[in-house]
Amino acid sequence: MIRNAIQRFMYGRYGNDQLNVCLIVLYLALYLLFILSGFELFYFLTLILLCVSLFRMLSRNLPARRSENAKFMRAAGPAIQWFRFQRAVRRDKEHRYFKCPNCGQQLRVPRGKGRITVTCRNCGASFQENS
């Protein structure tokens, strides 16, 4: 019954997105700084971040919130993709990753094959690497 009431309340509202997650993480970091330093400015900044995050989450102006998130993703998207790629590389124990010296394309080859010739699928350049 309570879940149904929350669903009805949130119907037509924007909800959560990547920008809100970033705002909440920034809120937590600033709140931790406030606890450690006792500097009042951090506390007021955390309140502002929390209010902006709640406003965005409960907003019914969906196009405006989507536009804000799209701008954020254009700005922060490359950094997010880089962190995701680095995490994938660390987790993948069966492959080695190389960057094509010609075009910069990321290439994946199996580990343990010795010295191999890697050919880029993007530009066709070939180079020798140890797998």
Side-chain angles (χ1 to χ4, degrees), residues 89-107:
V89 168
R90 279 194 310 274
R91 289 180 177 174
D92 189 2
K93 302 298 181 196
E94 298 174 4
H95 298 93
R96 291 233 13 223
Y97 291 82
F98 299 105
K99 188 176 265 193
C100 175
N102 191 30
C103 67
Q105 175 76 30
Q106 290 288 341
L107 305 169

Side-chain angles (χ1 to χ4, degrees), residues 14 17 56 65-75:
Y14 187 64
D17 62 5
R56 292 189 78 253
R65 303 296 83 82
R66 286 186 187 125
S67 173
E68 292 167 357
N69 192 52
K71 288 177 188 174
F72 171 74
M73 289 306 291
R74 274 195 299 274

Side-chain angles (χ1 to χ4, degrees), residues 107-125:
L107 305 169
R108 184 180 78 166
V109 298
R111 283 190 186 267
K113 301 292 183 185
R115 189 145 183 90
I116 59 172
T117 302
V118 180
T119 303
C120 178
R121 292 177 286 151
N122 193 31
C123 68

Side-chain angles (χ1 to χ4, degrees), residues 60-87:
R60 290 183 185 251
N61 189 353
L62 303 182
R65 303 296 83 82
R66 286 186 187 125
S67 173
E68 292 167 357
N69 192 52
K71 288 177 188 174
F72 171 74
M73 289 306 291
R74 274 195 299 274
I80 292 170
Q81 288 175 350
W82 184 81
F83 280 113
R84 285 182 181 162
F85 178 73
Q86 294 303 316
R87 185 177 62 194

